[in-house]
Amino acid sequence: MIVVILMLTIPRVTCAQDDFLNENRTYNPSIHSIVMHKEGFDMSAPVIQLNSSSKLLLSFDVLGEEQPDFRFTIRHCEADWSTTPELLPSAYISGLFEDDIVERETSFNTTMLYTHYSLAFPSRNMQPRLSGNYLMIVYSDDPAQPDFTCRFMVTEPSSVSIQGSVTQSDRLEERYTHQQLNFVVDMDGFPLMDPKREVKVVVMQNDRWDNALYVGNPRFVRGAALDYSYDENNSFGGGNEFRTLDMKSLRTQSMRIRRIEWNGAYDVWMLEDMNRSTKNYVTDPDINGRMLVKSDDNVKNSEVEADYARVHFTFQGGPPEPGQRIYLLGALTNWNMGANNEMVYNPVSRKYELTLLLKQGFYNYCYVTKTDGQPAGDAAFTEGNHWETENQYTVLVYLHELGGLYDRLISIGEINSRDQ
């Protein structure tokens, strides 16, 4: 067996207390393949119910021979992911305020050595007391200097229901490019003094937080029903079906892989990705930007036997506009846009290029442009927007009672654009 240790040259980022954002972000370049999902559902959102038996499974890899010890803590956040200002840890944590990640296993029969860590949360020593948004902070020495952070949510058991549908936008200029959400939230069991002040609604498209919609007041209030239907502001660009990387095998080439090379480590060269902004919509089944770590190369346990490869992406496009950047986006990049997943323009080839170190598996991704100073990525100039695109929407309902101290997460609903 040949063991290759490949370390990225990106310097470690250190953060002072409260200097880091409440988002999915990796600060230690040795850490890869961070996945958090509900136990038993490999590609589910990281959501559990308060005081239930359900658990979240967190896993990640550390490249190299060292096996550092990791601890974790959690932080309660508001609906907009700002830190909840009125709560001390003792108000939202039951048990210890810090706990150890003890489950670890060394990779087996891989060309790149790594240690695989896993955690089932809530743990024996730490449980959340309250519903809402949470940030998990994983660190080696100091929680003010995390190795990585990831978001998860805890919802309350309630009778609140969400019913809705997705239609073409009511705006004439967006009729064929955008999707509009029409939905009703039934607040059964929650008497409200002032619904417009107490209820906050957030809508996500395909697990993306960068373009999440913080919905305004309902158009109508009918008893316990809050009606957000036929509001043209509740719309998203339809985007396009996600592109696919099938790297479950490093012995055979899947459809979008041009070649696989061994150069002391595996190099996977993807076929060039075309700009689809002017192309007609074509139906293509996808997993809405998610990822699944898996090896089909005759292994028993993909968590420690799946190998890593340097994956080379190329996107055809003209020179960047001033103040505008192109990013590769999806679960494989933690749905973030930063230096590690920015496409770099090559003036010689006149194409954008990016290399990512990825574990064997099945991945969805897309390209988005982002203007400096703007939080959201836009697929219009790289993928195109089509109202026919299959998208999964998540509606989150928060309650902040008058005089309350935090945003309670009281219901989550799923609406698919194809379920009409």
Side-chain angles (χ1 to χ4, degrees), residues 29-41:
S30 298
I31 293 179
H32 290 267
S33 304
I34 301 170
V35 178
M36 180 183 276
H37 59 80
K38 188 175 180 179
E39 186 177 33
F41 303 89

Side-chain angles (χ1 to χ4, degrees), residues 230-295:
Y230 308 110
D231 186 341
E232 61 185 19
N233 294 312
N234 297 342
S235 66
F236 290 79
N240 211 328
E241 305 298 346
F242 283 87
R243 304 173 193 258
T244 296
L245 163 60
D246 185 348
M247 200 177 68
K248 296 192 298 296
S249 175
L250 290 171
R251 299 174 183 174
T252 59
Q253 296 175 202
S254 63
M255 184 177 299
R256 291 293 303 162
I257 293 177
R258 183 170 61 187
R259 69 179 186 273
I260 301 175
E261 297 178 348
W262 169 256
N263 298 298
Y266 284 109
D267 283 277
V268 174
W269 298 86
M270 299 287 292
L271 293 174
E272 294 178 358
D273 285 318
M274 303 288 292
N275 188 316
R276 300 189 291 178
S277 61
T278 60
K279 305 293 183 181
N280 292 330
Y281 172 76
V282 177
T283 300
D284 189 12
D286 63 12
I287 55 174
N288 290 327
R290 297 186 173 105
M291 57 179 274
L292 177 66
V293 172
K294 189 177 188 300
S295 173

Side-chain angles (χ1 to χ4, degrees), residues 11 24 86 106 138 150 185 238 301 312 342 349 377 384 393 395 401 410:
N24 297 326
E86 302 296 333
T106 304
V138 177
C150 54
V185 178
N301 183 359
H312 304 273
E342 180 183 349
S349 64
Y393 292 95
V395 180
E401 299 158 305
I410 58 174

